[in-house]
Amino acid sequence: MATTPGRIRPWRYLAGFAGIVVVLYALVAFTGDRSFAPKLGIDLQGGTRVTLTARTESGQVPPRDQLVQAQAIIEQRVNGLGVSGAEVVLDGNNITITVPGDQGEQARSLGQTAQLRIRPVVGQPIAASPAAPPVGQGTGGATTPPAGQDTGGTTPPAGESTAPAPSGGGAQPQSQGTGPVVDGAVAPVSYSTALAPAQQQPTPPPGGGEDPAKAAAIAEAKATRQSTDQVTQQQALLALDCNAPDPLRGYDDSSLPLVTCDQDKTAKYILGPTVVEGTQIASAQASQNQQGVGYVVDLSFKADGSKAWGDYTAAHIGEQAAFVLDGEVVSAPTIQGALYGNTQVSGNFNQQQAQDLAGILRYGSLPLSFEASDAQTVSATLGLASLEAGLIAGAIGLVLVFVYCLFYYRVLGVLTILSLVLSGLVVYAVLVLLGRWIGFTLDLAGVAGFIVAIGITADSFVIFFERLKDEVREGRSFRSAVPRAWVRARRTILTADAVSFLAAAVLYILAVGQVKGFAFTLGMSTVLDLVVVFLVTHPLVALASNSKIFGSPTLSGLGAVAKIGAQRRRQPRETAGSGSGTSKGA
């Protein structure tokens, strides 16, 4: 005997759905932080907003294409650093980074220009103290080398901690930090001809911009701190205040020497021209220091950069090379061998600092420099008030839908309510898991997406129920109408949900900001709608059709169409009976 199309074994489908629910909530309960609350966006839980103001060397308005490029790089950094739920918005000449929760400290570093350069250390660093001795009155007993002698590889004196770079075959012993030399004096030097030439970075001419004072400060800093005159270098070194804002941040010329400070503001350096540019970095990863405490950043270079760095280290073993990030010395290790492979950067990093630096270097330098901005705390009061109002409106709408379904469909309306409740259970578990696995955060736009998706789910029920009424109207019983109605309604439900999912996918690809959250929740709810309709609604209706109580036309809400169906069933019989009587009489 052939099986009726659409006839199923309901308990198998319901058991499959129950298994999905059990698996989801088991993952919620026994994986991750085991929190049963989804992650919330900044509008629902508050957070931090950081505004970065772009600046140019001339003080003129930054080019639009460079702002867009900077926004894209910062967005990559946001994803690479694992800052979940953050938004990067271009507002005029500013880039605003909004981070939910307590992750504001990570957002502060996202605007770092990240111009990493490797420069040779010339002479010895001196302490960054406000009262510097006059030129030529150092107490360290340093002597002036003969003309032409290269002192770019002067090793640090006893007591200074340096971080040697590892060779490609293994990590070299190293210690953390680039501490100051308190009694060191800087000797006049000439630069080694063995340094690899570095390409000069083009910069717009100063003057004529919106801030002439800023352009003049940059020009003055270049004239002194990047001078090739040895006396001028020493004067600039002694006059440099490490605690003052650095006008050369992001604007130093890679082909000239540089007088600068370390990131801790404790030591001052004279550095030679750049050996390797940060644009030659292929990858950067944070790892724990295997030779000491703290964390390091492992770098690998592109082909040209690896050769230039290997040739330089082979020719300058025992000398110091400084890793300079945005004009500040991060680390100044002593070269202990030729490094044609991976290299480590150490600088007393903790885990978070190493991960932040690796993420910034991994995605390249920004085309513009940005003014540092303090993070501002954003209150969730307005968002919570909006959420409360939205939930109240949604609850009122759902109650009206429930009342209408009960009045119009009766038992089928009860099945609609039960299906929506079970759908809500699945959606909630998926939200919690997505927050753990991909950092998805629920915001007001996402809540709106769920509310719209509830309507889509209800539409699927209506399509099925109305097709069921059509079958009963044709004269079939409730039990025989269910499989036929499902076969005919299934295609319509799949088509409608496919269109909704396609619209959500296109919106997600083209949209930005919170609209992406709306599109994501709408698409996810549409997929879950199919799961509920196929594994819950259809089996429950099939069970109801097999029950004498729930299959009653009065309780099922099919009484009116059942009467029409009964009349249609009687008409052929009456017609047949009438035709038979006439023939007999004849």
Side-chain angles (χ1 to χ4, degrees):
M1 180 177 178
T3 304
T4 303
R7 190 164 308 271
I8 61 171
R9 296 183 178 180
W11 289 111
R12 289 188 177 181
Y13 286 82
L14 294 175
F17 180 80
I20 293 175
V21 174
V22 170
V23 170
L24 288 176
Y25 278 91
L27 292 173
V28 171
F30 300 109
T31 63
D33 56 7
R34 301 185 180 183
S35 171
F36 278 78
K39 289 186 177 181
L40 302 179
I42 189 171
D43 51 358
L44 299 182
Q45 68 165 325
T48 304
R49 178 176 290 114
V50 178
T51 301
L52 304 174
T53 303
R55 63 191 182 105
T56 61
E57 182 177 1
S58 63
Q60 295 178 344
V61 178
R64 181 70 180 180
D65 58 338
Q66 293 185 3
L67 287 170
V68 173
Q69 182 183 357
Q71 179 191 16
I73 294 175
I74 292 177
E75 286 180 342
Q76 290 179 327
R77 293 179 182 180
V78 169
N79 297 329
L81 293 175
V83 181
S84 60
E87 292 184 2
V88 182
V89 179
L90 182 59
D91 181 15
N93 296 334
N94 300 332
I95 293 181
T96 302
I97 307 171
T98 305
V99 182
D102 55 356
Q103 297 175 313
E105 289 299 325
Q106 290 178 295
R108 295 172 189 262
S109 65
L110 295 176
Q112 203 165 7
T113 312
Q115 287 183 347
L116 182 69
R117 290 165 177 162
I118 303 178
R119 293 174 175 267
V121 176
V122 178
Q124 298 177 355
I126 67 171
S129 57
V135 178
Q137 296 183 10
T139 59
T143 59
T144 302
Q149 180 179 344
D150 176 22
T151 62
T154 304
T155 56
E160 181 178 1
S161 175
T162 59
S167 64
Q172 298 287 344
Q174 57 181 317
S175 58
Q176 296 289 335
T178 55
V181 180
V182 177
D183 294 327
V186 179
V189 295
S190 60
Y191 297 103
S192 170
T193 57
L195 293 179
Q199 186 176 3
Q200 183 173 352
Q201 304 248 339
T203 53
E210 297 179 352
D211 192 348
K214 185 180 299 184
I218 295 174
E220 181 181 1
K222 280 192 172 185
T224 55
R225 292 171 51 195
Q226 292 210 273
S227 173
T228 57
D229 181 70
Q230 299 173 6
V231 176
T232 304
Q233 291 172 12
Q234 297 177 41
Q235 293 174 346
L237 181 72
L238 298 174
L240 179 61
D241 184 1
C242 291
N243 296 316
D246 187 2
L248 276 183
R249 179 176 173 267
Y251 297 130
D252 60 291
D253 192 332
S254 61
S255 64
L256 296 175
L258 175 66
V259 176
T260 188
C261 302
D262 64 353
Q263 285 191 326
D264 295 332
K265 315 297 183 184
T266 57
K268 299 188 287 188
Y269 291 80
I270 294 182
L271 307 176
T274 301
V275 176
V276 179
E277 286 282 356
T279 54
Q280 293 297 321
I281 294 176
S283 66
Q285 298 291 336
S287 63
Q288 194 166 9
N289 186 7
Q290 301 300 322
Q291 306 297 328
V293 297
Y295 288 79
V296 296
V297 178
D298 297 309
L299 301 179
S300 63
F301 295 95
K302 300 176 184 177
D304 293 342
S306 178
K307 183 180 185 303
W309 178 232
D311 293 344
Y312 176 79
T313 53
H316 296 80
I317 296 176
E319 302 177 3
Q320 282 184 275
F323 290 84
V324 184
L325 180 66
D326 291 347
E328 292 181 336
V329 175
V330 176
S331 177
T334 300
I335 300 171
Q336 296 187 350
L339 303 177
Y340 287 94
N342 294 337
T343 301
Q344 285 184 345
V345 180
S346 62
N348 288 327
F349 304 127
N350 58 34
Q351 182 178 9
Q352 189 61 55
Q353 290 171 336
Q355 290 176 348
D356 290 350
L357 178 59
I360 290 172
L361 297 178
R362 190 181 306 128
Y363 298 108
S365 61
L366 298 179
L368 296 167
S369 294
F370 290 88
E371 295 283 1
S373 176
D374 293 334
Q376 298 178 348
T377 302
V378 179
S379 173
T381 304
L382 181 60
L384 290 177
S386 301
L387 176 64
E388 183 179 355
L391 292 179
I392 292 175
I396 294 174
L398 284 176
V399 170
L400 293 177
V401 171
F402 290 166
V403 172
Y404 177 80
C405 289
L406 291 174
F407 176 77
Y408 193 71
Y409 293 115
R410 301 185 186 180
V411 170
L412 297 181
V414 174
L415 299 182
T416 298
I417 297 173
L418 181 59
S419 298
L420 288 175
V421 171
L422 294 176
S423 176
L425 288 177
V426 174
V427 167
Y428 189 84
V430 171
L431 275 180
V432 175
L433 294 176
L434 289 179
R436 295 179 187 175
W437 295 342
I438 65 173
F440 175 77
T441 56
L442 180 63
D443 52 18
L444 288 175
V447 173
F450 283 125
I451 294 176
V452 172
I454 290 174
I456 295 175
T457 305
D459 285 344
S460 299
F461 302 155
V462 171
I463 292 172
F464 181 28
F465 296 160
E466 289 300 318
R467 188 62 214 176
L468 179 62
K469 292 172 70 174
D470 290 341
E471 295 294 331
V472 174
R473 188 180 292 110
E474 292 294 327
R476 294 185 177 87
S477 65
F478 184 16
R479 182 175 182 180
S480 63
V482 169
R484 289 177 172 84
W486 172 249
V487 170
R488 297 184 178 183
R490 181 174 57 194
R491 181 177 298 176
T492 305
I493 293 173
L494 287 172
T495 302
D497 281 0
V499 172
S500 297
F501 181 81
L502 182 61
V506 172
L507 183 62
Y508 182 83
I509 294 173
L510 299 180
V512 296
Q514 293 185 342
V515 181
K516 278 184 175 290
F518 171 82
F520 184 87
T521 54
L522 180 61
M524 182 183 70
S525 300
T526 302
V527 174
L528 296 179
D529 164 44
L530 293 176
V531 174
V532 172
V533 171
F534 276 75
L535 298 184
V536 177
T537 308
H538 178 209
L540 287 178
V541 174
L543 286 176
S545 68
N546 293 327
S547 171
K548 292 183 179 180
I549 298 177
F550 295 108
S552 169
T554 303
L555 292 179
S556 65
L558 301 175
V561 293
K563 291 179 181 180
I564 298 175
Q567 291 177 356
R568 291 186 176 182
R569 285 196 304 269
R570 286 197 300 268
Q571 286 177 356
R573 295 176 184 176
E574 293 174 355
T575 303
S578 175
S580 174
T582 302
S583 175
K584 185 176 181 180

